[in-house]
Every structure is written in C-alpha cells, then in structure tokens.
Amino acid sequence: SGRWYGGYRLTLSAKEVKSLEDVCNQIIAKTRELNYKFRGPVRIPTKTLRITCRKTPCGEGSNTWDRFEMRLHKRVIDLNCPINKVKEITGFKIEPGIVVNVSFP
C-alpha cells in the first residue's frame, strides 16, 4: 500500500557536514533494505553561533577582539515503520558529535 501512516521523525544535528551526511546515507540505506517508506533528509538552514570577546583579559592595551563561530547543521528524516524497526535502523555506531532525536511528527 502506498499510503503514509505517520511514523517517526529523526532529527540529526552535528557540527561537521560530512559525518552528518554519512549517517543520513546509512539510515536511508538501512530503511531501503528493510523496505520501509521514508522522507528526507530535509536540510534545515545552518545555525551559526557567534561569540566576540576581547583578546586581553585585563582590559589594558589596544582594543583587539577575537571572533569565534560554530555552525550547527541539521537534517530531518521521516520514517514510516514500527518503533522496534527504528531501533534496528539506527542501531549502527554513530560517530561522536552527532545528536539523534526521535519524535512523532
């Protein structure tokens, strides 16, 4: 049957794009192997966190500043399968630094 029954939403976030894409590809390959329907990965806009601070700790000297930024990349995949199959699909070793949240859409 070609009907979509809801299912589960995987939200993956990481600082590095390559490792995030690798995990998404592994999840999709496993879902195809088990013959379940899926949607995604949907690329959510990158969130850039910026911090600007003074270089000198005491406040003396010229006004020099350091600028740091961290980019957070996010992907969303919707799976149409039972919860025990979600555990099987995401059962492989996921690299440190990748956060996976499972929720209802």
Side-chain angles (χ1 to χ4, degrees):
S1 64
R3 186 144 178 242
W4 185 265
Y5 292 107
Y8 297 94
R9 174 166 285 170
L10 298 177
T11 306
L12 298 99
S13 55
K15 290 189 257 184
E16 296 181 20
V17 179
K18 180 159 178 14
S19 57
L20 184 63
E21 289 291 333
D22 289 344
V23 171
C24 287
N25 291 336
Q26 287 178 325
I27 289 172
I28 288 171
K30 188 71 172 174
T31 306
R32 281 193 178 126
E33 181 184 307
L34 295 172
N35 288 329
Y36 286 108
K37 294 188 181 302
F38 66 92
R39 289 182 184 162
V42 177
R43 288 156 180 83
I44 305 299
T46 303
K47 184 181 284 187
T48 305
L49 305 174
R50 290 189 179 97
I51 294 176
T52 304
C53 58
R54 287 283 302 266
K55 280 187 179 181
T56 60
C58 62
E60 296 285 325
S62 60
N63 292 339
T64 53
W65 297 83
D66 271 332
R67 287 183 288 282
F68 300 100
E69 79 175 26
M70 181 171 66
R71 296 174 186 222
L72 295 175
H73 306 278
K74 198 179 268 193
R75 304 286 185 268
V76 175
I77 301 173
D78 290 331
L79 299 176
N80 190 9
C81 62
I83 188 66
N84 58 347
K85 294 297 178 180
V86 171
K87 290 179 183 176
E88 185 179 334
I89 289 169
T90 59
F92 59 91
K93 183 161 173 30
I94 296 176
E95 297 177 29
I98 296 180
V99 179
V100 180
N101 292 325
V102 179
S103 62
F104 297 105

